[in-house]
Amino acid sequence: MNVSGELVMLRAMGPEDAKALWRWNHDPDVMRWMDEGYPQSLASVQRWMTEDRPRNDFGDVLFGVETLDEGNLIGMVRLHGAEPELGGAELDVYLGEKNYWGKGYGTDAVRTACRFGFDKMRLHRIQLTVAAENESARHIYRKVGFVEEGRLRHTFRSGGQWGDKFVMGLLEGELR
């Protein structure tokens, strides 16, 4: 099932997307505000995409973000940790293709993923964490309706420096 927004379409990711995902995860500009992980080989990412990654289901949905006009894969979005009894999930999103930054694609991807979460997954709450210094992402989240609910001190490390993260939440009916 594909989910369309105004600028993007969210679609299931497959093995053909492994090379893009590997490239994005090794780009320091793309990963600047992400939790630091360990480098992975392309073969390892391909194996994860084909064999190790569980299929999309209620608890964990991974979408590729494609442009509607050109059909280019530009990023990914994930709703995970969902439990029907609790009605909540966590949102992860990033655009790996830097030439699409600052043009509304990220905002549309977040809005479209949240609409999917509320309408199709019947969630009541979606939350995320974001580096306190990542003002561009915080701006997008606020624009879509997320509210800063708390601050996690020294939970993010980048360039050898510790930084804070904000917890942000969006309730059903608050999506803009």
Side-chain angles (χ1 to χ4, degrees), residues 13-23 25-26 39-54 62:
M13 292 188 80
E16 68 279 3
D17 302 318
K19 194 168 192 175
L21 186 60
W22 177 84
R23 185 171 38 84
N25 287 341
H26 289 85
Q40 301 295 319
S41 68
L42 177 56
S44 175
V45 174
Q46 288 170 328
R47 186 174 47 256
W48 181 77
M49 293 292 288
T50 57
E51 300 169 19
D52 299 340
R53 169 140 174 75
L62 175 67

Side-chain angles (χ1 to χ4, degrees), residues 69-120:
D69 57 352
E70 301 167 333
N72 292 334
L73 180 68
I74 62 170
M76 57 150 287
V77 63
R78 181 177 175 208
L79 286 165
H80 61 98
E83 296 182 32
E85 300 83 8
L86 301 177
E90 185 144 349
L91 176 72
D92 295 329
V93 61
Y94 71 95
L95 296 187
E97 298 299 332
K98 295 182 275 189
N99 54 326
Y100 290 91
W101 291 1
K103 298 179 180 177
Y105 292 97
T107 301
D108 193 45
V110 169
R111 185 177 287 121
T112 303
C114 290
R115 185 170 34 85
F116 176 84
F118 292 131
D119 294 349
K120 300 295 183 194

Side-chain angles (χ1 to χ4, degrees), residues 10 15 44 93 99-100 104 107 119 129 138 140 149 163 166 172:
L10 307 183
S44 175
V93 61
N99 54 326
Y100 290 91
T107 301
D119 294 349
T129 59
R138 290 175 52 216
I140 288 171
E149 298 177 333
F166 284 111
E172 184 180 15

Side-chain angles (χ1 to χ4, degrees), residues 25 37 56 74 88 110 116 125-126 139 141 146 148 161 163 174:
N25 287 341
N56 281 347
I74 62 170
V110 169
F116 176 84
R125 172 185 169 75
I126 298 172
H139 171 76
Y141 300 140
F146 279 86
E148 291 174 359
Q161 299 295 315
E174 295 178 339

Side-chain angles (χ1 to χ4, degrees), residues 149-162:
E149 298 177 333
R151 186 178 198 116
L152 304 171
R153 298 180 310 139
H154 288 206
T155 56
F156 176 73
R157 188 175 177 130
S158 179
Q161 299 295 315
W162 286 103

